[in-house]
Amino acid sequence: MIRLQPIKTNCASLKLLALLVLCVCASPKRAGAVPSFARQTGMACAACHTVFPELTPFGREFKLNGYVLDNIRQVTGIDTADRQTLAINSIPPVSAMLQVSYTHTSKALPDSTLPGALAKDGEVLFPQQVSLFYAGKIADELGAFMQLTYDGAADHFGFDNTDIRYAHHLSFGGPNANDHHMILGLTLNNNPTVQDVWNTTPAWGFPYSGSNVAPGQIASAQIDGRLGQSVAGLGVYVWLDDHFYAELTGYTPAVVGGAHPLDSTQSNVAHGLSPYWRLAYEARWDRNSVSVGTYGIQTKVHPGNGTALQGPTDEYKDIAVDGQYQFIGEDHLATVLATYIHEKQSLNASVFDQFAANTSDTLKTYKLTGEYSYQRHIGGSLGYFSTTGSTDTLLYAAAPVVGSATNSPDTKGYIAEVNYLPWLNVKLQLQYVGYQKFNGLKTNYDGTGRNASDNNTLYGLVWVNF
């Protein structure tokens, strides 16, 4: 038997609903709708986001609770004993995203085939990215954030960030057996840190968008995006007393898009089980919140890229610390984000395959960002980034634009960004990335006369969720 009925409430959902109402009441009246989650909850996006995709305290709670809080009619099923056998939204939580961008670098890139010629500078990607989402409740205590994306630069369509969650509430301790409360959850995802609820970790960290066609630095840590969508992980997490978070997730290699089978045509292929861990503490008072934490991953990788996925492996151990401060006022919103990642590399496979000269390297990444928004309407961000590491004559070899004449990954610079949101589901963004050092040097870093500042990038973006 199938019937429509409002969602049933319990103590946990009433607590979440009270927190949601508090967040919405404290929000400016100018409010649009975050597509899937707003349709499901019936609330403005200001409840979950400062300026999307950055989360508020309630947004973090909503995610930790499995994306299931809703305020729409349910399709439910019952058996002959009046036991519930089905509970899904009557309206599917589906939405879409469109990004259109413009990129201009200080100096045009070399032509890909004609020596001495330059490529056209000032590229419009229409689209840069188009995504379809299923984001919301699947069943009681089970929800998902699933993203299917078309990449305009790569001309590729496939699964993007995906996080499927199960969350269960427990209370224990004290005379009433409810002095402590806990969420015990499971996460199934395809990108280490995509399941995280703070905007200090790589998957949802600043910058939240950037150019797909501008030159990028030569090195990044495994946890800093290199494993995204090429692994699948199942993990367990605990959120205790609205303060303490702990998670342990194991990742294994996964086939991406049309990349079947996993063989020598692929690169950076994880081997075996890669454990990921996360610990964090958050405190909240008045309109403020602050968090401190640590996270990391240990993974074995086959270089691939024309070599067999067998024999020796490269081993990476990434350990990171992070912190976040957030103030959410009636008119003024401010956030400070900081993270540091240390990666220890054992490159036995890369040395064997002649991709690296050193059997042991290190890589260190710093990121510090300050953000401000007035009434979630206009604001900006200023970020500093730095990557330093061991020199390696093969791993960081000289090459036009993308290489290093000094065989060094050292890169540092800043990101300045201005955002205007005429509606809270539409963002107009202007971003400038300035490099003080690129792949080891400030001047002639690639050995062909290109300077770090030649890669300075002006980036404009229209970002629409609907």
Side-chain angles (χ1 to χ4, degrees):
M1 176 180 178
I2 304 294
R3 67 188 181 192
L4 288 171
Q5 66 177 37
I7 184 172
K8 297 179 180 179
T9 56
N10 53 34
C11 293
S13 60
L14 285 174
K15 182 177 179 181
L16 278 174
L17 189 57
L19 179 58
L20 176 57
V21 171
L22 178 63
C23 290
V24 172
C25 290
S27 302
K29 299 304 179 183
R30 184 187 297 108
V34 171
S36 296
F37 294 138
R39 291 186 184 105
Q40 175 173 291
T41 63
M43 298 293 181
C45 60
C48 284
H49 298 280
T50 54
V51 175
F52 67 88
E54 183 184 299
L55 294 175
T56 63
F58 175 74
R60 294 191 281 276
E61 292 280 354
F62 179 76
K63 185 172 180 177
L64 289 166
N65 277 273
Y67 312 109
V68 298
L69 181 66
D70 59 68
N71 192 34
I72 62 177
R73 291 168 64 85
Q74 301 286 295
V75 178
T76 63
I78 59 173
D79 60 16
T80 55
D82 203 33
R83 291 174 297 197
Q84 184 170 288
T85 60
L86 178 68
I88 60 174
N89 292 329
S90 60
I91 300 174
V94 177
S95 59
M97 179 185 77
L98 170 67
Q99 291 183 340
V100 178
S101 69
Y102 169 81
T103 298
H104 170 74
T105 53
S106 293
K107 183 179 179 180
L109 298 176
D111 189 276
S112 58
T113 59
L114 298 177
L118 296 177
K120 179 184 178 299
D121 195 23
E123 296 188 40
V124 175
L125 287 180
F126 196 141
Q128 172 177 295
Q129 182 174 311
V130 176
S131 291
L132 299 176
F133 299 91
Y134 180 99
K137 180 179 178 180
I138 297 174
D140 287 346
E141 301 185 325
L142 181 66
F145 176 94
M146 302 175 67
Q147 182 177 0
L148 194 64
T149 294
Y150 172 76
D151 185 332
D155 193 21
H156 176 266
F157 196 83
F159 265 100
D160 206 329
N161 289 327
T162 295
D163 176 31
I164 302 171
R165 288 177 178 264
Y166 170 82
H168 182 70
H169 290 261
L170 298 169
S171 297
F172 58 92
N176 298 319
N178 60 2
D179 285 2
H180 299 280
H181 54 274
M182 179 176 72
I183 298 173
L184 180 62
L186 297 175
T187 171
L188 176 65
N189 65 79
N190 66 347
N191 184 3
T193 75
V194 75
Q195 71 273 36
D196 204 70
V197 296
W198 291 276
N199 290 97
T200 49
T201 53
W204 300 115
F206 182 84
Y208 307 119
S209 59
S211 174
N212 289 359
V213 294
Q217 63 190 64
I218 199 170
S220 61
Q222 290 289 328
I223 204 170
D224 198 5
R226 293 189 63 192
L227 295 172
Q229 290 82 57
S230 65
V231 292
L234 178 63
V236 59
Y237 66 90
V238 173
W239 177 236
L240 178 64
D241 292 337
D242 298 326
H243 290 301
F244 301 95
Y245 181 82
E247 178 193 340
L248 181 63
T249 298
Y251 288 91
T252 189
V255 174
V256 183
H260 178 74
L262 283 175
D263 59 14
S264 61
T265 61
Q266 310 305 311
S267 61
N268 202 59
V269 179
H271 172 81
L273 190 67
S274 301
Y276 165 85
W277 51 271
R278 173 68 156 136
L279 297 171
Y281 173 82
E282 179 172 288
R284 303 170 186 169
W285 72 98
D286 298 328
R287 296 177 179 272
N288 305 272
S289 67
V290 64
S291 68
V292 292
T294 179
Y295 59 98
I297 196 168
Q298 186 163 345
T299 183
K300 296 181 179 180
V301 170
H302 289 290
N305 197 26
T307 63
L309 306 186
Q310 53 190 287
T313 59
D314 293 337
E315 298 184 28
Y316 298 86
K317 186 175 184 179
D318 293 5
I319 299 176
V321 293
D322 66 303
Q324 174 176 307
Y325 168 76
Q326 193 174 62
F327 171 79
I328 303 176
E330 290 284 354
D331 294 324
H332 306 284
L333 300 89
T335 303
V336 178
L337 308 166
T339 192
Y340 165 71
I341 305 171
H342 180 277
E343 180 174 84
K344 183 178 180 180
Q345 308 170 348
S346 297
L347 304 176
N348 295 320
S350 288
V351 169
F352 180 80
D353 295 326
Q354 299 183 359
F355 294 141
N358 306 332
T359 57
S360 180
D361 282 338
T362 59
L363 199 65
K364 301 174 184 178
T365 301
Y366 304 85
K367 297 179 183 179
L368 178 64
T369 304
E371 303 175 345
Y372 170 78
S373 176
Y374 179 70
Q375 293 187 343
R376 294 180 171 86
H377 189 55
I378 188 168
S381 305
L382 182 63
Y384 169 81
F385 59 90
S386 171
T387 298
T388 59
S390 310
T391 58
D392 193 303
T393 56
L394 294 180
L395 192 62
Y396 310 126
V401 182
V402 297
S404 171
T406 57
N407 311 123
S408 169
D410 293 4
T411 299
K412 64 179 181 179
Y414 62 90
I415 303 174
E417 185 176 292
V418 176
N419 297 306
Y420 172 64
L421 286 80
W423 306 277
L424 289 187
N425 62 328
V426 177
K427 181 192 286 189
L428 307 179
Q429 175 182 309
L430 187 64
Q431 180 187 96
Y432 187 81
V433 182
Y435 291 99
Q436 299 162 324
K437 182 184 287 187
F438 196 90
N439 294 352
L441 288 173
K442 181 177 181 180
T443 59
N444 193 25
Y445 72 86
D446 65 347
T448 68
R450 193 170 181 88
N451 300 326
S453 60
D454 292 338
N455 294 327
N456 290 0
T457 302
L458 179 67
Y459 172 72
L461 177 69
V462 178
W463 187 348
V464 182
N465 294 315
F466 55 93

